[in-house]
Amino acid sequence: MKNPIEIVREYFKLAEKLNLKYPNAAVLCTCRNNEPDGRFILIKEIRDNGFVFYTNYNSKKGKDLEVNPKACIVIYWEGLGIQIRIRGIVEKLSEEESINYFKTRPKLAQISAYISKQSEELESYEELLKLFDEYKKIFENKEVEKPKHWGGYILIPKEIEIWKEGEYRLHQRTLYYLSNGEWKWKNLYP
């Protein structure tokens, strides 16, 4: 049986060919203190063992994942009529991996990550713009170091469900799940 991560990777390539603005956009769902939450992220890499994204560790999602590393990613590509649900455990990437990725970001995006106190209260948007302008000057002729509060995660799946749109709401659903370290699958009613 084909590894479902490879199937998802193939769908990502198809979505990219459609020239969607964000073919790598996904909703990351977390839960802390029995309070679920969801937000869009960008999947930056699909590895053989999971799905990589980067964020501020001090953000709401970072704090949620620190307390409860179980999470779900949901992807939907309207142009393909495909939805993917991925459930599993999230782990931090190594500092070296996070630094290497940070260096590939445009400098202004690096500065944004550097100054962001993601999810904390902001007095006004103008305050953020002023801070951004200050740090553009500070880093004008210097490299931006990856902030300690920023880095990568990988969601290592234990279940991947692929939903394909069908006529008359006769959608095709396939659930792939790990059993004793091997991927198994079963069809589900729509």
Side-chain angles (χ1 to χ4, degrees):
M1 184 189 86
K2 196 172 206 176
N3 182 328
I5 295 173
E6 187 57 39
I7 296 169
V8 175
R9 186 182 278 131
E10 290 172 9
Y11 284 131
F12 261 91
K13 289 176 186 171
L14 280 174
E16 286 173 343
K17 286 181 183 177
L18 289 175
N19 292 321
L20 301 175
K21 186 170 183 181
Y22 294 107
N24 60 336
V27 175
L28 173 70
C29 303
T30 58
C31 190
R32 178 171 46 143
N33 301 327
N34 292 320
E35 291 291 332
D37 203 354
R39 76 289 286 155
F40 279 95
I41 60 164
L42 298 177
I43 297 173
K44 293 298 186 176
E45 182 184 357
I46 300 175
R47 297 183 180 174
D48 291 341
N49 66 329
F51 302 84
V52 173
F53 61 96
Y54 295 86
T55 192
N56 185 317
Y57 293 142
N58 296 328
S59 66
K60 170 86 168 60
K61 66 183 152 306
K63 290 176 181 175
D64 287 356
L65 292 170
E66 190 175 312
V67 172
N68 179 4
K70 295 178 181 174
C72 178
I73 290 176
V74 181
I75 307 159
Y76 179 67
W77 297 294
E78 183 176 2
L80 295 175
I82 292 174
Q83 172 185 267
I84 311 282
R85 294 193 313 167
I86 306 162
R87 288 178 290 281
I89 300 292
V90 177
E91 296 177 358
K92 278 185 180 177
L93 296 180
S94 71
E95 183 69 3
E96 181 183 355
E97 290 173 294
S98 293
I99 289 169
N100 289 339
Y101 175 74
F102 189 78
K103 288 179 180 180
T104 70
R105 292 170 57 107
K107 189 169 191 173
L108 296 180
Q110 291 176 341
I111 293 169
S112 291
Y114 191 87
I115 66 168
S116 180
K117 298 175 185 173
Q118 192 175 33
S119 302
E120 291 186 23
E121 186 174 353
L122 176 66
E123 193 67 36
S124 69
Y125 187 67
E126 290 71 27
E127 176 188 333
L128 178 65
L129 295 177
K130 183 180 173 192
L131 187 63
F132 184 68
D133 285 340
E134 285 175 28
Y135 276 84
K136 279 191 334 190
K137 290 174 188 161
I138 290 169
F139 288 115
E140 188 172 9
N141 297 310
K142 293 195 292 193
E143 188 176 308
V144 182
E145 279 190 43
K146 183 194 82 60
K148 293 285 182 206
H149 64 263
W150 189 95
Y153 289 100
I154 183 167
L155 186 141
I156 301 166
K158 65 175 187 170
E159 290 183 355
I160 297 177
E161 181 184 317
I162 299 175
W163 175 97
K164 295 180 188 177
E165 186 176 25
E167 283 190 51
Y168 313 110
R169 302 194 56 82
L170 295 173
H171 312 304
Q172 182 181 347
R173 289 176 65 194
T174 307
L175 177 64
Y176 298 87
Y177 57 96
L178 277 176
S179 176
N180 297 320
E182 288 186 40
W183 285 105
K184 308 280 186 187
W185 66 274
K186 59 186 170 185
N187 291 315
L188 302 175
Y189 276 95

